[in-house]
Amino acid sequence: MRGLRIGLFPNFSAVDTGVRRTFTCRCVRKTNKKSASFLSIHHSLPNFSSYSCSAALSVMAEEEKKSFDENEAASLVKELRGNIKSNKTKSYDWRVSQLESIRKMIVENEKEIAKALYDDLSKPEFEAFISEISNAKSSCELALKELKHWMKPEKAKTSISTFPSSAEIVSEPLGVVLVISTWNFPFLLSVDPVIGAIAAGNAVVLKPSEISPATSSLLVNLFDKYLDKSAVRVVEGAVPETSALLEQKWDKILYTGSSRVGRIVMTAAAKHLTPVILELGGKCPAIVDSNVNLQVATRRIIAGKWQCNNGQACIGVDYVITTKDFAPKLIDALRKELEDCFGRNPMESKDISRIVSLNHFTRLERLLDEDNVSNKIVLGGQRDQNKLRMAPTILLDVPKDSQIMQDEIFGPLLPIITVENVKDSFDAINSKPKPLAAYLFTNDEKLKESFVQNVSAGGMLINDTILHVTVDTLPFGGVEESGMGSYHGKFSFDAFSHKKAVLYRSFNGDASIRYPPYTESKKKLMKALISDGIFGMLLALIGWSKD
Amino acid sequence: MESELESMREYFKSGKTRSVSWRLSQLKGLLLFIKEKEAEIFEALKKDLGKHPVEAFRDEVGTLIKSINFALKGLKNWMSSEKVKLPKIAVLSSAKLVPQPLGLVLIISSWNFPLGLSLEPLIGAIAAGNTMVLKPSEMAPACSSLLANVMTTYLDTKAIKVIQGGPSIGEQLLQQKWDKIFFTGSALVGRIVMSAAVKHLTPVVLELGGKCPAVVDSFSSSWDKQVAVNRIAVSKFGNCAGQACIAIDYILVEKKFASNLVELMKASIKNMFGDNPRESNTIARIINKHHFLRLKNLLSDLAVQKSVVYGGSMDEENLFIEPTILLDPPLQSEIMTDEIFGPLLPIITLDMVEDSIEFINSKPKALAIYAFTKNEQFKRRIEAETSSGSLVFNDAVIQYAVDTLPFGGIGESGIGRYHGKFSFDTFTHHKAVTTRSFLTDFWFRFPPWNGQKLMLFETVYNFDYLGILLVILGLKRCKRNLDVI
């Protein structure tokens, strides 16, 4: 989840920007008229040489790029603020109509979405379906089903000191919110927060990642076609566009990506006192005890590593910790199960995603080629830079201070760290920043309990991986370096709502003790009211107080 | 400072602060401090702010006793894990939310309720099982020293520290790594706090202020009028002389009712605070010279001066400002653009009381909106069409004392919320924990992929249990073509 990694690797930014540019040309946003006219030219002049065509395009792209600057961003926000003044987005009907459109958008465009994900990441259609399309759809369906219930004010009890009164907590929309999403699950991580923002009645601007250009462009088209443009928008772009957006005042920002950019987002937010939700990553460990059902455990680790966007997932298993004695068995089992899943030559398998960009590919290569790391490979290691493919790779006992054990790996490399006693793994985890997820495979009840007690992480899953994110009754979010705030299901609605405290008082029952002039008896009565309950109060009222 | 904080982190790691018994003992310690040192507390509040003991009890001591008792009563319940429902398909799995302390937290409090605003968040941080540093405001030195020197003797000082000091200490503290920062104060400093928190990605709660309006409808019943006016007067002048973040900042009223309101206000103020409020000691003074001059300056504008219809006298030596009412000062004057934070009360007249909604919405979102009205339709409109931290009908300020309501702002008035269980939640990480068994696993979860597996997933995601059965038995065919791409 690193939407804006570009800045970290300036040498490679040209590559990514290049990709983006050619892609922006294909689908110019905002200027629908322009792109339409271009398309018509394209169609009417089929013989137009592709060279001059793309040249014309890149000029257009330049113009386009310039057009979305701070002023453009400011006028976008201003326009949306104007549009929500009518309170249209607050109504239940509007929210439902938009959520229904999102559902329709997903159902009618499954193929297109899968195609875009394939273009961006070679994501197998199957994986695209189970990890993105159907998750987004079920998230939308849940919101539709529960919305009425979520929107209902919550009654709150009131105490005797404010009697007679009634109180409730009302969920109201925040206003205009910004969602910045990322490239590894470019569809789900864009649409899921937008569902929450709309369910809560906000106007929302989505900035998809430029590193997954096909999905980004698809989102522009689909949102344009299905959703209410006066309140839901997509802005495409890279660093300059994002910076322009971040300059504006938002009522909430949800950012998914790296902790480095997360800091940039929060700094910008501080200027306008905007609350932020940061969905970051971290090194998610998986502890494997020796008493487990090895086949099931290994399959589930594979599901949480290579089957999950080839390790490019914020909750993917980053590294495994197991005991010295058990490590060889685990590696054998992984070898066997990996072959079952991806065949003898995983580089040819259609069931595994590729690395998203050259920039990330070389980053992974660097991790792998470090001294004392490259010689620890026990399985895999094959790579093909041209196709951006990298085979599932397992490393045994890499040095603790190597880069691969410091950075979030975000790729198909899986270091296995060994410890004497499985309990020692807690210290190994706690010596690092708190991860977004922590996994444990064991049948030992005591160990489970102690794991929950002693390890801190955004979420925890025992005896499986990844699955907890699909549970919409659980909040999804990190702690410390892995993020702040949470969403999913009702938590998404809450994340984009303001919980307004509303207190109703009547004009009856006005106690004179509240008002000056202050006297000793008033103080006694007040004391009784607060600490001694009704009996003490009665005593004080008739002048028989205890002190 | 660093080594001190490091040892606090170590202490947290030892797990001591996580136990129920530790949390209960600290809350009880706090309660004992307040009860045993009541006289000292009253004295300190008198010294710093000239608060009358009854006011001090009502707003700080008493409210705190109530909050501690609420936490003591609720703690076990708050601390227990919450079971979470799973879909039927997840057989042999269970999920729960486990509340865990965050670690080491920083509480920066403010001078206007130097005890209340320090201890209210402290109660939450203790209840949640954290270690914590409290930095009280240096502008209320007597209270600050009482907290640092006396309160700490009732508490486990390995886990709870009070660090006194001004902005430079505050800055030093902000440089450290915290697991949460809880700040009460101005939006200006709030921005500094949030910017500093970025370095370590620390979540923040900012309790700020803003201009809280009170809309007053024209009442026909004289009883209603009187009750409303009394409540307005006490909430403005009787709570630290208007130096409160939720105090009424200005009043919005219909033109035709304005003069009546002013007369009633005058009478009510006289009734409560006497002919000479400074002598009667029933009203707090201004915290310091700086704020005194700031308030004086608000009145210096000639047009503003002209709008004073009651009060206005100032005693610089004793830092005392008389309850003051202004009728229709210019809207662009500082008194109507800045948060007043003192005993000056502008009354703004409107043609229709309904216009107040537009007036309020043209300003930054307030911490609280008060509306005195019996018109149900108008109530509903205000609730739906305005936005604020809290909204109170027919009263003011008392929402602070309701433990079951979240207290906190929105937009310029703050981020996050606390009070009661919300305080506990604010200082807690609710960890999502899911447990699976090794027994059930769907073979279709793993590659190599094929059409039947995809269909199974579709049915599972739709919780279509019959469909699952049909697909497994081969009675339902895959209509998709997986090779399109």
Side-chain angles (χ1 to χ4, degrees):
Chain A
M1 304 210 161
R2 346 209 128 180
L4 298 167
R5 202 70 200 227
I6 281 187
L8 262 187
F9 303 94
N11 306 348
F12 297 103
S13 62
V15 177
D16 275 308
T17 329
V19 172
R20 195 193 81 78
R21 194 168 301 167
T22 39
F23 136 75
T24 345
C25 327
R26 265 193 283 130
C27 164
V28 185
R29 7 149 283 104
K30 269 236 102 212
T31 46
N32 278 324
K33 271 179 247 150
K34 261 194 210 169
S35 76
S37 63
F38 161 67
L39 281 176
S40 60
I41 292 168
H42 191 83
H43 286 303
S44 57
L45 298 169
N47 295 332
F48 214 79
S49 86
S50 64
Y51 174 73
S52 57
C53 183
S54 63
L57 276 170
S58 59
V59 169
M60 247 169 78
E62 277 301 309
E63 279 172 16
E64 186 56 30
K65 216 174 156 189
K66 266 181 215 147
S67 76
F68 199 87
D69 54 8
E70 254 174 60
N71 296 333
E72 186 82 359
S75 67
L76 172 66
V77 175
K78 199 174 160 202
E79 185 193 334
L80 291 177
R81 285 205 186 280
N83 293 345
I84 61 166
K85 272 230 168 91
S86 64
N87 291 325
K88 169 177 73 175
T89 60
K90 280 188 183 175
S91 78
Y92 174 76
D93 291 341
W94 183 85
R95 305 186 199 191
V96 165
S97 77
Q98 294 307 299
L99 291 172
E100 265 166 359
S101 298
I102 291 182
R103 180 172 58 186
K104 199 164 153 225
M105 171 184 102
I106 298 171
V107 173
E108 290 181 354
N109 296 281
E110 265 181 32
K111 281 274 171 275
E112 287 74 9
I113 298 166
K115 168 89 171 56
L117 293 170
Y118 187 82
D119 287 349
D120 287 333
L121 290 149
S122 300
K123 204 174 259 196
E125 186 190 358
F126 197 91
E127 210 187 297
F129 180 80
I130 60 172
S131 63
E132 304 211 41
I133 299 170
S134 55
N135 268 331
K137 200 171 95 189
S138 63
S139 166
C140 195
E141 276 161 1
L142 180 84
L144 277 165
K145 202 175 121 207
E146 299 289 334
L147 188 61
K148 236 186 197 140
H149 179 64
W150 292 347
M151 283 173 71
K152 245 199 179 134
E154 190 187 321
K155 284 262 171 258
K157 274 188 197 159
T158 51
S159 67
I160 184 158
S161 40
T162 60
F163 178 86
S165 62
S166 66
E168 57 186 19
I169 302 168
V170 176
S171 296
E172 66 177 28
L174 296 167
V176 183
V177 302
L178 174 66
V179 172
I180 304 176
S181 83
T182 184
W183 53 262
N184 58 343
F185 293 88
F187 187 76
L188 176 70
L189 295 177
S190 299
V191 173
D192 206 5
V194 168
I195 290 170
I198 290 176
N202 296 285
V204 53
V205 172
L206 166 69
K207 214 297 288 168
S209 169
E210 76 284 4
I211 299 175
S212 47
T215 314
S216 173
S217 123
L218 182 70
L219 284 165
V220 173
N221 292 338
L222 292 182
F223 273 46
D224 194 56
K225 190 169 153 199
Y226 286 88
L227 299 172
D228 178 358
K229 267 168 79 178
S230 70
V232 186
R233 290 288 176 81
V234 184
V235 172
E236 282 193 281
V239 177
E241 289 80 0
T242 312
S243 310
L245 287 170
L246 285 174
E247 278 297 310
Q248 312 309 315
K249 179 177 163 52
W250 304 93
D251 296 303
K252 188 125 193 178
I253 301 174
L254 187 146
Y255 166 77
T256 309
S258 70
S259 61
R260 190 185 65 85
V261 180
R263 286 181 162 84
I264 297 173
V265 170
M266 191 171 165
T267 308
K271 212 174 107 190
H272 298 291
L273 287 174
T274 304
V276 289
I277 293 180
L278 303 177
E279 295 287 341
L280 315 175
K283 289 183 85 62
C284 303
I287 304 170
V288 184
D289 197 0
S290 52
N291 59 11
V292 296
N293 178 333
L294 195 56
Q295 195 199 10
V296 176
T298 32
R299 284 184 152 216
R300 288 177 178 176
I301 290 171
I302 291 169
K305 181 76 180 179
W306 298 285
Q307 221 180 294
C308 197
N309 206 20
N310 207 5
Q312 304 169 91
C314 55
I315 48 161
V317 176
D318 191 277
Y319 63 103
V320 163
I321 310 179
T322 191
T323 57
K324 271 206 169 61
D325 310 334
F326 195 63
K329 282 187 211 163
L330 180 65
I331 291 168
D332 283 343
L334 278 168
R335 181 176 290 131
K336 185 186 164 297
E337 292 299 329
L338 274 171
E339 204 180 301
D340 278 1
C341 286
F342 305 113
R344 268 177 199 281
N345 187 359
M347 297 289 279
E348 297 297 320
S349 170
K350 281 186 175 155
D351 294 334
I352 195 162
S353 300
R354 65 164 165 82
I355 308 304
V356 66
S357 65
L358 185 61
N359 149 16
H360 279 277
F361 190 88
T362 45
R363 178 183 61 80
L364 288 164
E365 275 192 318
R366 267 202 301 273
L367 291 181
L368 205 53
D369 292 343
E370 198 182 323
D371 287 347
N372 284 323
V373 171
S374 52
N375 58 355
K376 300 292 193 309
I377 298 176
V378 291
L379 180 77
Q382 304 93 314
R383 49 190 134 153
D384 180 344
Q385 204 190 67
N386 290 330
K387 291 184 180 157
L388 297 178
R389 286 202 165 267
M390 209 175 257
T393 300
I394 297 174
L395 304 103
L396 185 64
D397 277 326
V398 293
K400 272 191 185 133
D401 54 354
S402 58
Q403 212 54 42
I404 200 170
M405 282 312 291
Q406 302 296 318
D407 295 1
E408 184 178 2
I409 297 171
F410 229 69
L413 319 176
L414 181 73
I416 296 179
I417 305 296
T418 59
V419 285
E420 288 295 335
N421 189 315
V422 72
K423 272 207 120 175
D424 301 340
S425 53
F426 296 172
D427 288 337
I429 296 172
N430 287 337
S431 68
K432 295 183 182 300
K434 294 177 184 171
L436 185 55
Y439 305 108
L440 167 69
F441 289 89
T442 185
N443 275 319
D444 178 352
E445 290 302 323
K446 277 239 169 76
L447 189 69
K448 285 182 197 171
E449 210 171 287
S450 143
F451 177 65
V452 172
Q453 273 303 314
N454 297 313
V455 175
S456 187
M460 286 188 153
L461 179 50
I462 293 166
N463 291 335
D464 212 326
T465 58
I466 305 279
L467 275 191
H468 61 297
V469 285
T470 62
V471 178
D472 43 38
T473 43
L474 288 176
F476 177 69
V479 58
E480 227 178 52
E481 284 288 311
S482 55
M484 59 176 86
S486 57
Y487 73 123
H488 278 195
K490 168 91 168 17
F491 301 98
S492 294
F493 176 83
D494 291 341
F496 288 107
S497 294
H498 165 54
K499 302 289 171 184
K500 182 160 75 174
V502 182
L503 185 63
Y504 296 87
R505 287 267 286 149
S506 85
F507 287 101
N508 306 324
D510 211 33
S512 69
I513 53 164
R514 251 181 96 187
Y515 307 109
Y518 300 121
T519 61
E520 201 45 37
S521 66
K522 280 188 185 172
K523 189 169 119 194
K524 273 187 192 147
L525 192 60
M526 204 149 17
K527 262 187 172 167
L529 188 68
I530 281 161
S531 11
D532 303 336
I534 292 186
F535 188 62
M537 202 171 76
L538 284 176
L539 289 180
L541 267 176
I542 50 178
W544 286 356
S545 104
K546 285 176 285 183
D547 47 16
Chain B
M1 190 188 279
E2 265 112 65
S3 68
E4 236 178 294
L5 297 183
E6 200 39 55
S7 65
M8 289 179 86
R9 286 198 173 276
E10 284 307 314
Y11 192 67
F12 176 75
K13 273 190 192 144
S14 77
K16 181 95 200 276
T17 62
R18 290 171 181 238
S19 69
V20 193
S21 58
W22 184 87
R23 306 187 199 192
L24 288 174
S25 74
Q26 297 310 300
L27 288 174
K28 283 177 187 158
L30 213 52
L31 194 60
L32 197 65
F33 158 68
I34 294 171
K35 287 192 164 162
E36 283 189 358
K37 300 293 172 193
E38 195 188 74
E40 284 86 340
I41 293 172
F42 287 155
E43 200 190 303
L45 286 169
K46 182 97 203 162
K47 234 187 204 158
D48 286 336
L49 288 150
K51 273 192 196 176
H52 190 282
V54 177
E55 188 189 324
F57 185 86
R58 185 194 61 203
D59 294 349
E60 306 205 48
V61 175
T63 334
L64 285 170
I65 294 172
K66 169 206 62 77
S67 296
I68 297 171
N69 282 329
F70 190 79
L72 282 169
K73 220 167 103 191
L75 188 64
K76 281 221 173 109
N77 193 8
W78 298 348
M79 282 176 69
S80 52
S81 306
E82 187 188 329
K83 278 241 175 285
V84 162
K85 266 197 203 157
L86 291 177
K88 278 196 210 108
I89 199 80
V91 270
L92 294 176
S93 302
S94 66
K96 58 185 175 180
L97 280 176
V98 182
Q100 286 199 321
L102 295 169
L104 178 59
V105 301
L106 173 65
I107 296 166
I108 302 177
S109 81
S110 141
W111 52 261
N112 53 344
F113 295 87
L115 235 80
L117 296 178
S118 297
L119 300 196
E120 197 70 51
L122 202 73
I123 294 167
I126 291 173
N130 296 283
T131 52
M132 66 212 74
V133 170
L134 165 69
K135 194 203 88 67
S137 169
E138 77 285 4
M139 290 200 230
C143 289
S144 171
S145 121
L146 188 72
L147 291 169
N149 302 322
V150 183
M151 179 185 77
T152 43
T153 61
Y154 288 82
L155 301 170
D156 178 357
T157 48
K158 283 197 196 107
I160 305 169
K161 283 206 165 35
V162 178
I163 297 181
Q164 296 191 77
S168 70
I169 291 287
E171 220 161 276
Q172 273 180 52
L173 284 169
L174 285 176
Q175 291 301 314
Q176 310 301 317
K177 179 174 163 45
W178 307 95
D179 294 298
K180 189 131 200 173
I181 301 174
F182 188 104
F183 168 79
T184 308
S186 69
L188 180 79
V189 184
R191 285 181 163 82
I192 297 173
V193 170
M194 190 167 169
S195 304
V198 170
K199 198 171 131 196
H200 298 290
L201 283 175
T202 308
V204 290
V205 173
L206 304 177
E207 293 289 341
L208 316 174
K211 286 183 90 65
C212 304
V215 180
V216 184
D217 203 351
S218 321
F219 293 105
S220 47
S221 141
S222 61
W223 165 263
D224 294 345
K225 261 189 239 176
Q226 196 54 53
V227 172
V229 164
N230 284 345
R231 287 177 180 175
I232 291 168
V234 75
S235 319
K236 175 72 184 182
F237 308 108
N239 293 84
C240 201
Q243 303 169 94
C245 51
I246 49 169
I248 294 173
D249 192 278
Y250 62 96
I251 286 177
L252 294 171
V253 70
E254 268 181 28
K255 255 194 188 84
K256 58 174 198 248
F257 184 52
S259 59
N260 191 200
L261 181 69
V262 170
E263 289 317 307
L264 286 169
M265 287 289 302
K266 283 182 188 169
S268 176
I269 290 169
K270 277 218 173 85
N271 229 339
M272 284 184 202
F273 307 105
D275 283 328
N276 190 345
R278 190 168 66 83
E279 298 297 309
S280 64
N281 271 335
T282 46
I283 193 161
R285 65 165 169 79
I286 306 306
I287 179 78
N288 56 28
K289 191 133 188 185
H290 167 75
H291 279 277
F292 184 89
L293 293 176
R294 178 182 62 79
L295 288 162
K296 195 174 164 188
N297 194 43
L298 289 181
L299 288 187
S300 65
D301 184 313
L302 212 69
V304 175
Q305 239 173 53
K306 266 195 204 150
S307 69
V308 174
V309 291
Y310 182 79
S313 77
M314 297 190 171
D315 175 352
E316 191 163 336
E317 198 184 328
N318 294 304
L319 299 178
F320 186 85
I321 297 179
E322 191 190 2
T324 302
I325 301 174
L326 303 92
L327 190 61
D328 279 326
L331 293 180
Q332 68 283 1
S333 60
E334 269 178 28
I335 200 166
M336 279 313 292
T337 55
D338 295 1
E339 186 177 0
I340 297 172
F341 228 69
L344 317 177
L345 181 65
I347 297 178
I348 305 296
T349 60
L350 305 165
D351 288 333
M352 300 276 291
V353 74
E354 283 81 7
D355 298 343
S356 54
I357 292 177
E358 208 189 317
F359 189 94
I360 290 170
N361 286 341
S362 71
K363 299 197 171 287
K365 292 179 181 175
L367 186 54
I369 292 175
Y370 305 110
F372 293 83
T373 179
K374 291 187 119 176
N375 179 342
E376 292 302 322
Q377 200 198 342
F378 187 42
K379 278 187 195 171
R380 273 195 301 276
R381 272 197 64 195
I382 293 179
E383 189 184 313
E385 293 174 30
T386 67
S387 182
S388 57
S390 54
L391 169 62
V392 179
F393 289 107
N394 298 330
D395 211 327
V397 177
I398 54 160
Q399 78 272 26
Y400 183 84
V402 183
D403 298 301
T404 47
L405 285 179
F407 184 82
I410 175 172
E412 285 289 306
S413 56
I415 294 179
R417 50 184 182 255
Y418 73 131
H419 280 203
K421 167 96 168 24
F422 303 101
S423 295
F424 175 84
D425 291 339
T426 282
F427 289 106
T428 296
H429 168 50
H430 290 277
K431 186 164 67 175
V433 180
T434 316
T435 308
R436 293 256 291 145
S437 96
F438 285 106
L439 287 177
T440 51
D441 225 348
F442 298 113
W443 71 95
F444 54 85
R445 223 183 119 188
F446 308 102
W449 305 130
N450 59 43
Q452 199 206 16
K453 285 187 182 176
L454 181 59
M455 238 182 23
L456 276 167
F457 267 106
E458 276 195 285
T459 51
V460 167
Y461 273 115
N462 291 330
F463 303 126
D464 172 4
Y465 300 104
L466 179 69
I468 297 171
L469 199 69
L470 292 178
V471 180
I472 292 173
L473 295 174
L475 294 173
K476 211 171 165 184
R477 300 264 152 157
C478 180
K479 278 171 261 161
R480 290 156 183 280
N481 176 9
L482 269 185
D483 301 323
V484 277
I485 341 182

